[in-house]
Amino acid sequence: MIIPAADIGRRGRGILLGLVVLCSGCVTTTDSVFTTPPSPQEALERRVALARQYIGERDWENAKRNLAQAVAIDDRNAEVHEAFALVYQSTGEKELAEESFKKAIRLQRDFSRARNNYAAFLYSEQRYADAEKELEQVVKDTLYTGRPMAFVNLGLCRQQLGKSAEAEEAFSRALSMDRANTIALLELAQLRFEAGDYATASRHYGIYRTAVRSQSARGLWLGIRLAKAQNDRDAVSSYALALGSLYPESPEFRDYQRMQANGQ
């Protein structure tokens, strides 16, 4: 599951991880005296595929049932334990989730998707340094298809750890691989704005603004402050109107109201 990039909230936003490939359709079975019994590997793959389908449907009990059958076939399969970890994480069984993530990674050291998802778990527990450590391993895997987003997630971890320069480096790496990555664009714009580099912030923000259908509250709030810093009153009014209309209950709109009340 890939969390949409449109709105990543404020500093407490969640990490954007979890590149779980879910089964796109039902896995069917056919019982017939003329069929050849599936091999253990085929049976294992079928159970994992069914489990992932049930995970996508948030049917945790059926997911567990299929994973239990998969474990009975091969208890050293890393994908099975990663899937178990996702189920346990979703049902609030945190200790079991961490145990399963660790087992999946221990069984397959180069299992970047599992490390990626484990980092998401660690981030959700506010264990940012631990998440950063896992992501630093993930981004070394040059064949991992989720590498651009892993760099984004590494940047988010580093922001939480107060490592602004290192965060900017990670977002820049993500952007070099995916020029339309709206998360990296917005975060780079935010970092450049905080550094007082309004020209570069505006450039990143402008690309972000054209790449999204609808700006997030965080994006509009940054737009307001950027426009204000550049004395663009029309843009300030336009972004403020959109922020109040689309996100009237957001923390960003409350920040804007406080700014107005203070005459800033």
Side-chain angles (χ1 to χ4, degrees):
M1 56 184 174
I2 302 176
I3 301 175
D7 189 354
I8 56 178
R10 293 166 66 87
R11 284 287 179 236
R13 57 197 178 281
I15 200 167
L16 296 138
L17 293 173
L19 301 175
V20 182
V21 180
L22 297 176
C23 177
S24 59
C26 295
V27 178
T28 58
T29 58
T30 303
D31 295 320
S32 168
V33 295
F34 299 106
T35 60
T36 302
S39 68
Q41 182 61 32
E42 290 173 333
L44 175 69
E45 291 174 357
R46 184 176 300 174
R47 289 299 168 189
V48 173
L50 279 167
R52 291 194 179 283
Q53 177 186 323
Y54 285 124
I55 290 171
E57 296 169 355
R58 302 182 67 80
D59 185 345
W60 313 125
E61 292 308 312
N62 276 317
K64 285 181 180 179
R65 178 174 57 80
N66 279 279
L67 290 173
Q69 293 181 51
V71 165
I73 298 169
D74 181 3
D75 66 352
R76 295 186 59 77
N77 183 282
E79 290 209 16
V80 173
H81 292 289
E82 183 219 15
F84 258 127
L86 295 171
V87 172
Y88 290 138
Q89 182 179 358
S90 299
T91 56
E93 299 168 277
K94 297 178 182 180
E95 290 184 2
L96 290 174
E98 181 158 17
E99 180 182 330
S100 294
F101 275 129
K102 286 182 174 179
K103 187 165 187 177
I105 294 167
R106 187 166 61 249
L107 289 168
Q108 187 176 330
R109 301 295 299 177
D110 61 349
F111 195 178
S112 294
R113 190 187 69 206
R115 283 190 186 276
N116 205 36
N117 287 327
Y118 182 38
F121 169 80
L122 293 169
Y123 189 99
S124 71
E125 295 297 302
Q126 299 182 9
R127 293 164 58 184
Y128 305 122
D130 291 336
E132 179 189 31
K133 182 179 178 181
E134 296 299 329
L135 286 165
E136 285 173 344
Q137 291 297 311
V138 174
V139 298
K140 290 178 182 177
D141 183 355
T142 58
L143 299 179
Y144 178 46
T145 58
R147 194 170 177 233
M149 188 57 74
F151 269 113
V152 168
N153 296 326
L154 181 57
L156 293 173
C157 282
R158 288 173 172 173
Q159 280 183 311
Q160 294 287 358
L161 293 168
K163 300 178 179 180
S164 296
E166 293 92 335
E168 187 168 348
E169 179 186 6
F171 292 132
S172 295
R173 290 291 301 276
L175 206 57
S176 70
M177 299 176 192
D178 179 9
R179 303 303 300 178
N181 190 304
T182 55
I183 307 167
L185 285 165
L186 182 56
E187 293 305 320
L188 282 171
Q190 177 69 39
L191 287 167
R192 287 292 84 209
F193 171 78
E194 291 172 355
D197 182 0
Y198 301 140
T200 305
S202 294
R203 179 166 55 83
H204 288 310
Y205 179 71
I207 301 171
Y208 158 79
R209 192 181 62 212
T210 58
V212 295
R213 289 184 179 181
S214 179
Q215 289 196 60
S216 65
R218 178 176 166 79
L220 289 167
W221 175 226
L222 176 59
I224 290 170
R225 289 173 291 158
L226 261 175
K228 192 171 183 63
Q230 296 172 316
N231 296 313
D232 188 342
R233 294 182 180 180
D234 289 341
V236 170
S237 298
S238 176
Y239 294 142
L241 179 62
L243 181 60
S245 299
L246 296 173
Y247 309 103
E249 303 301 323
S250 67
E252 289 83 0
F253 186 58
R254 289 195 291 272
D255 285 343
Y256 169 71
Q257 290 177 313
R258 278 193 290 271
M259 183 181 76
Q260 288 293 93
N262 293 331
Q264 297 177 357

